[in-house]
């Protein structure tokens, strides 16, 4: 499973004094070629906000945002999104990384589910925002969006005709009431599997170590 980017989290905590940002990265463990889903991850990319009592401070020079990325395009997705492990992982990260306090809870996970196996979608939804965290996001009007999304097949991981491991990254900008206050990298390693109809779908996050 992907690990947290501690440096980005430290900057985020210092800037907000009340928000917590999750960021994952990891290297896959060896796995046999298969189209079946792997066991559910112990963690999954999600945003869980602790109770807050202060407003979000202005952006500092130590933590400058890159701007406000465009919102993720709405599904349905074209067939091009499913033609390769890289294309589907890129489309998945673009959807998962974009959230809006005005949308239903875990709306980003629901949108990204169209690019995933059913097992991975269920695992990500189960690890998504709690009702309490969602209410806090609404109270603070917190949204996020990503740009500079990239994906590549992990050259050090086992690969087969129907199963590969993809490292997908992005820059995620968080906003409070439309004002950007933090930009930090996101990274996740995902199994990606080919279905019998030829489509590639993102599977569960890969355990680290």
């Amino acid at each position: 499973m992907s690990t947290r980017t501690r440096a980005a989290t430290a900057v985020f905590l210092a800037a907000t004094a009340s928000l917590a940002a999750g960021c994952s990265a990891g290297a896959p463990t060896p796995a046999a070629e298969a189209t079946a889903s792997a066991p559910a991850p112990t963690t999954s990319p999600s945003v869980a906000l602790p109770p807050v009592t202060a407003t979000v401070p202005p952006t500092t020079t130590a933590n400058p945002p890159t701007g406000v990325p465009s919102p993720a395009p709405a599904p349905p997705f074209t067939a091009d999104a499913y033609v390769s492990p890289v294309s589907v992982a890129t489309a998945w990260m673009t959807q998962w990384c974009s959230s809006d306090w005005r949308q239903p809870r875990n709306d980003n996970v629901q949108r990204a589910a169209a690019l995933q196996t059913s097992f991975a979608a269920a695992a990500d939804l189960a690890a998504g925002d709690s009702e309490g965290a969602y209410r806090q996001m609404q109270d603070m009007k917190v949204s996020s969006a990503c740009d500079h999304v990239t994906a590549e097949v992990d050259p050090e991981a086992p690969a087969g005709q129907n199963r590969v491991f993809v490292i997908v990254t992005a820059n995620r900008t968080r906003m409070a009431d439309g004002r950007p206050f933090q930009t930090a990298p996101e990274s996740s390693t995902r199994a990606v599997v080919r279905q019998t109809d030829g489509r590639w779908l993102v599977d569960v996050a890969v355990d680290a170590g």
Side-chain angles (χ1 to χ4, degrees):
M1 179 65 62
S2 51
T3 59
R4 297 178 183 274
T5 50
R6 295 180 175 83
T9 303
V11 172
F12 179 56
L13 290 174
T16 65
S18 59
L19 293 174
C23 179
S24 55
T29 54
E33 177 184 343
T35 57
S37 299
T42 55
T43 60
S44 183
S46 62
V47 178
L49 302 177
V52 292
T53 56
T55 59
V56 177
T59 299
T60 65
T61 56
N63 186 34
T66 59
V68 180
S70 301
F77 309 105
T78 66
D80 291 344
Y82 303 93
V83 298
S84 74
V86 167
S87 64
V88 74
T90 300
W92 170 82
M93 174 62 90
T94 301
Q95 294 298 320
W96 172 81
C97 208
S98 180
S99 62
D100 193 312
W101 62 274
R102 291 163 293 194
Q103 298 302 317
R105 179 164 65 100
N106 291 321
D107 180 67
N108 61 321
V109 181
Q110 298 280 11
R111 294 194 316 269
L115 301 155
Q116 293 182 281
T117 64
S118 58
F119 189 90
D124 284 355
L125 186 60
D129 295 327
S130 67
E131 185 64 38
Y134 175 61
R135 284 196 296 268
Q136 291 163 31
M137 289 175 64
Q138 289 183 307
D139 290 343
M140 295 184 66
K141 300 181 179 179
V142 173
S143 301
S144 65
C146 279
D147 55 9
H148 303 293
V149 181
T150 63
E152 64 174 350
V153 175
D154 188 345
E156 299 182 356
Q161 292 183 343
N162 298 317
R163 183 183 179 89
V164 297
F165 296 93
V166 175
I167 303 169
V168 59
T169 63
N171 285 343
R172 188 178 204 180
T173 298
R174 288 181 171 84
M175 295 154 280
D177 199 14
R179 177 167 57 89
F181 63 86
Q182 189 247 5
T183 296
E186 293 286 344
S187 180
S188 182
T189 299
R190 289 269 168 163
V192 182
V193 296
R194 179 155 48 189
Q195 308 302 293
T196 56
D197 61 3
R199 294 181 307 150
W200 288 90
L201 294 179
V202 174
D203 205 30
V204 296
V206 179
D207 289 334

